[in-house]
Amino acid sequence: MTLDLNQRVSIAERIQRYLPYTQAQPEYRVEGRLLRMVGLTLEAVGCRAPVGSHCTIRGQGHPDVETEVVGFADRKMYLMPIEPAAGLQPGSRVIPNHQVSKVPVGPGLLGRVLDGRGKPLDNKGPVIAEAYVNLNREPINPLERKPIDEPLDVGVRAINSLLTVGRGQRMGLFAGSGVGKSVLLGMMTRFTTADITVVGLIGERGREVKEFIEHSLGPEGLKRSVVVASPADDSPLMRMHGAMLATAIAEHFRDQGKNVLLLMDSLTRYAQAQREIALAVGEPPATKGYPPSVFAKLPQLVERAGNGRDGGGSITAFYTVLTEGDDVQDPVADSARAILDGHVVLARRLAEEGQYPAIDIEASISRAMPQVVEEIHLQKAQVLKRLYARYQQSRDLISVGAYVKGSDPETDLAINKIGPIRAYLAQGMNEQVGFKQSLTQLDKLFNQD
């Protein structure tokens, strides 16, 4: 006797209803059926699979669709398609394969451009993988990590001298749209001293992928880099996978003893992808439309970067954070500021004045700087910041002629030094300024009459 799909599902549901939830799952695989599709979420009944595993949806008249389990309620499973879901119909077969996402890693990825699933986008043939690892990985025990005690040369004068980055540090680039964060990221990609660079282009415009590879990286930079691209038209699940894939690749090279530079543009798009998924499965919004799971996912991703164990490699990470409407109190920006080891803020007013990079040194900070630089370097950086801040505080009085010279000695010094300070903070897009050169120019700035 042959049972149709609905009869098989009905029998499976009865079996599962009387099996206690603590009982081990049977070895045979029970197929389910697709109940409905709401937005980006698929609801399936009649089968079970753990969160994070994959299911294949098979029906008549359309190719198989790979999905991932993102949640469940009662006896329903919530699935999110990894690939386009066009052609799906109610009643399509749902086949759990109980596989979790595994991604390729190894030296064969150098010079390649991958999508969020680890498949090549560059038409250079299949990826030669040394191994396949889980997309999700637990961070290293914090007591086993090597401390941050060595400065990293990023080739940008203002960052090298005033916001010194330590090897293994995690920094944020905070900026609104069109202020120059992607260009600054490209400069650090070319100039930073690292064994391997891993770039994650997450949720950005598709045209920026090729521009970044050709203009920012260049042929020489691409040879020692791995690019993971999941543009804005990808599904939210693919965008999240892209960020996790870039992190997993960087972790593998770190475990091999390499010093890795991880650049992710942007952390905000990763958070927005998680928001789309969470809202789709019914999680209530909490802070300005963001569900609580978003703020749980951010540290889980960021904490995977950083130094490895003693004697191992490191991951120095830069995450761009889009401050919508130039609001630095945006929930994602506020959360990222708390979990990162420092932040570089790009100000629109400075960009409009023609200063590039438009780094607001008053609002920026590197929390690891005191541990990686000498005391005299730290003192000079603090003096420059103080003079710059004093001039900004008196700027309106100075511009209208209301300030009387001699009223305050420090303000007088700030007025005399503001021109050289602005010239020091500015830097051409193709100009590389090393760490030692940055300190030499800082000394010269204070020795000028």
Side-chain angles (χ1 to χ4, degrees):
M1 182 176 67
T2 303
L3 300 177
D4 61 19
L5 177 62
N6 290 334
Q7 290 174 318
R8 292 203 303 270
V9 170
S10 177
I11 293 174
E13 287 179 340
R14 288 183 209 166
I15 293 174
Q16 293 177 0
R17 186 178 300 122
Y18 291 106
L19 283 174
Y21 286 104
T22 56
Q23 185 173 340
Q25 292 293 322
E27 294 183 359
Y28 61 84
R29 181 173 60 191
V30 178
E31 295 183 4
R33 61 185 176 89
L34 187 62
L35 185 64
R36 65 174 182 167
M37 179 175 183
V38 180
L40 299 174
T41 310
L42 308 173
E43 293 184 10
V45 294
C47 58
R48 289 184 183 179
V51 173
S53 65
H54 288 188
C55 294
T56 301
I57 299 182
R58 185 168 298 164
Q60 297 180 353
H62 66 80
D64 291 352
V65 176
E66 194 75 12
T67 64
E68 182 175 311
V69 181
V70 295
F72 56 85
D74 296 328
R75 301 191 181 279
K76 296 179 183 177
M77 285 198 316
Y78 296 125
L79 311 175
M80 189 75 69
I82 298 175
E83 48 201 6
L88 291 182
Q89 299 176 353
S92 296
R93 296 164 60 194
V94 178
I95 306 172
N97 54 31
H98 299 290
Q99 295 179 354
V100 296
S101 297
K102 288 187 175 289
V103 293
V105 293
L109 273 63
L110 294 176
R112 304 302 303 269
V113 183
L114 313 176
D115 66 6
R117 290 174 290 181
K119 295 184 178 180
L121 290 174
D122 50 13
N123 297 320
K124 294 182 180 179
V127 173
I128 301 175
E130 182 179 69
Y132 285 83
V133 299
N134 288 340
L135 197 61
N136 291 292
R137 177 176 168 179
E138 292 294 326
I140 299 174
N141 185 326
L143 297 182
E144 297 178 1
R145 286 185 186 269
K146 178 185 176 183
I148 300 173
D149 55 8
E150 179 184 356
L152 179 71
D153 183 1
V154 299
V156 180
R157 181 167 47 226
I159 297 178
N160 276 341
S161 57
L162 306 178
L163 306 166
T164 309
V165 177
R167 192 177 297 278
Q169 189 172 349
R170 298 158 301 190
M171 290 285 285
L173 296 180
F174 289 70
S177 57
V179 184
K181 62 183 183 302
S182 296
V183 179
L184 180 58
L185 204 66
M187 289 177 64
M188 290 189 291
T189 303
R190 297 193 304 273
F191 302 152
T192 301
T193 53
D195 298 325
I196 291 170
T197 301
V198 181
V199 181
L201 302 176
I202 310 301
E204 298 298 322
R205 294 180 289 273
R207 69 168 180 82
E208 290 185 338
V209 176
K210 189 172 183 179
E211 290 180 1
F212 188 90
I213 293 170
E214 293 183 352
H215 300 155
S216 298
L217 275 178
E220 291 301 318
L222 185 59
K223 288 181 181 179
R224 63 180 182 91
S225 303
V226 183
V227 179
V228 179
S230 184
D233 58 342
D234 276 356
S235 69
L237 196 62
M238 282 286 286
R239 280 175 267 148
M240 290 194 65
H241 282 189
M244 292 188 287
L245 171 59
T247 305
I249 294 172
E251 286 174 320
H252 176 78
F253 285 119
R254 178 186 63 189
D255 293 343
Q256 305 301 315
K258 304 293 184 181
N259 291 317
V260 183
L261 175 66
L262 172 62
L263 306 173
M264 191 168 296
D265 187 11
S266 69
L267 192 65
T268 303
R269 303 304 185 197
Y270 171 82
Q272 290 174 346
Q274 171 59 23
R275 176 176 65 179
E276 292 177 37
I277 294 174
L279 293 177
V281 298
E283 186 179 353
T287 307
K288 292 189 177 180
Y290 286 94
S293 63
V294 172
F295 306 105
K297 288 284 187 181
L298 286 176
Q300 290 175 8
L301 179 73
V302 170
E303 284 295 326
R304 292 169 61 181
N307 279 333
R309 296 175 175 85
D310 286 334
S314 65
I315 300 176
T316 306
F318 286 88
Y319 301 91
T320 66
V321 180
L322 180 63
T323 54
E324 298 181 359
D326 296 326
D327 179 15
V328 294
Q329 302 303 323
D330 175 81
V332 174
D334 196 44
S335 178
R337 191 184 298 107
I339 60 178
L340 293 171
D341 301 323
H343 49 273
V344 178
V345 178
L346 304 183
R348 188 174 301 277
R349 61 177 176 81
L350 296 177
E352 291 171 348
E353 292 174 1
Q355 178 180 317
Y356 184 83
I359 298 176
D360 185 350
I361 61 172
E362 294 179 274
S364 305
I365 189 172
S366 172
R367 294 192 177 103
M369 183 175 177
Q371 284 76 46
V372 298
V373 300
E374 297 179 356
E375 184 66 26
I376 186 65
H377 175 184
L378 188 62
Q379 290 175 358
K380 290 179 180 179
Q382 292 171 342
V383 170
L384 189 148
K385 286 184 177 182
R386 186 167 66 248
L387 291 177
Y388 185 84
R390 179 59 63 92
Y391 179 84
Q392 295 299 327
Q393 292 168 3
S394 307
R395 184 175 181 177
D396 292 340
L397 294 176
I398 297 169
S399 61
V400 299
Y403 176 76
V404 179
K405 187 176 181 180
S407 301
D408 182 70
E410 192 166 274
T411 303
D412 293 340
L413 181 59
I415 294 173
N416 293 333
K417 291 291 186 181
I418 191 62
I421 288 175
R422 284 175 173 169
Y424 181 81
L425 296 176
Q427 184 174 333
M429 298 179 187
N430 298 313
E431 178 188 0
Q432 180 178 359
V433 183
F435 187 78
K436 292 183 178 179
Q437 186 180 359
S438 301
L439 298 187
T440 301
Q441 294 176 359
L442 182 63
D443 291 337
K444 189 180 296 185
L445 177 67
F446 283 101
N447 293 331
Q448 291 176 348
D449 294 333

